[in-house]
Amino acid sequence: MRAAVFVALGEPSRLRIVELLRGGPQSVGTIADALGIRQPQVSKHLRVLGDSGIVSSHARARQRFYQLESGPFEDIGRWAESFEQLWNTRLDNLGAFLESMADNDEKGRPAP
């Protein structure tokens, strides 16, 4: 996984563009209108997203449409899943600790 993907997604406007593109391909003008930012700014953000492999574009008539690429998000998913075993182990250990605390608490109470 490339750090450039996280750098690109770390900027709030670019993350908003990605969220918008989840609904399907959009033109630069549509993105600018939806986010309330100027077209040149949107184009700069799209260039960063494109350089990192997050989006691709195609021309249709006189407009350029951008769409999400699945590869970077699949990489992020696999990377996040790699932490699943770590957290499962930690949660299992916490559960065992809490059970032992409850057992000790019950053993320490005087009988009614």
Side-chain angles (χ1 to χ4, degrees), residues 10-11 23 26 31-32 41 46 48 56-57 72-73 83 86 88 96 99 101 104 109:
E11 203 284 328
Q26 301 284 330
I31 295 168
Q41 291 173 308
L46 287 167
V48 172
S56 62
S57 67
F73 298 100
F83 291 92
L86 168 74
N88 284 340
E99 285 178 19
M101 294 285 293
N104 289 338
R109 289 186 183 168

Side-chain angles (χ1 to χ4, degrees), residues 2 4 7-9 11 14 42-55:
R2 297 180 14 221
V7 171
L9 293 174
E11 203 284 328
R14 289 193 287 265
V42 170
S43 293
K44 287 180 183 179
H45 289 308
L46 287 167
R47 189 174 313 111
V48 172
L49 291 169
D51 289 347
S52 66
I54 295 172
V55 300

Side-chain angles (χ1 to χ4, degrees), residues 30-72:
T30 302
I31 295 168
D33 291 344
L35 301 180
I37 56 179
R38 295 187 352 241
Q39 244 178 302
Q41 291 173 308
V42 170
S43 293
K44 287 180 183 179
H45 289 308
L46 287 167
R47 189 174 313 111
V48 172
L49 291 169
D51 289 347
S52 66
I54 295 172
V55 300
S56 62
S57 67
H58 64 277
R60 190 181 315 156
R62 297 181 68 195
Q63 292 184 318
R64 183 152 293 281
F65 285 79
Y66 287 83
Q67 64 191 25
L68 294 177
E69 289 296 321
S70 62

